[in-house]
Amino acid sequence: MRYEEREFITMYQIDYTNVGKRMKTLRKQAGYTQEQIADALDVTVAFISNIENDFRL
């Protein structure tokens, strides 16, 4: 299997629900708000909320 194919397969094996839950847990443990994280990453609060709550387009 070529490198590009392995990377593509691995990308789809990510459990995005757990990523969002973990991100929310770590953010709260560190004492940050969604607004602070959004500002630091230069994204919207809605984007952070969507990740944490597993909303998908």
Side-chain angles (χ1 to χ4, degrees):
M1 185 180 297
R2 292 183 321 210
Y3 173 76
E4 295 86 11
E5 292 170 342
R6 283 189 308 225
E7 186 174 310
F8 181 77
I9 292 168
T10 302
M11 183 176 70
Y12 284 99
Q13 293 173 342
I14 296 172
D15 184 349
Y16 291 101
T17 301
N18 284 336
V19 169
K21 286 179 183 178
R22 182 76 173 139
M23 186 172 132
K24 185 175 189 176
T25 299
L26 292 171
R27 175 183 60 77
K28 287 186 171 192
Q29 285 176 353
Y32 292 109
T33 64
Q34 287 184 340
E35 290 82 6
Q36 290 170 313
I37 299 297
D39 285 343
L41 297 175
D42 197 28
V43 297
T44 65
V45 174
F47 181 75
I48 299 299
S49 178
N50 287 343
I51 292 171
E52 290 184 355
N53 295 299
D54 195 32
F55 291 134
R56 300 187 187 182
L57 297 176

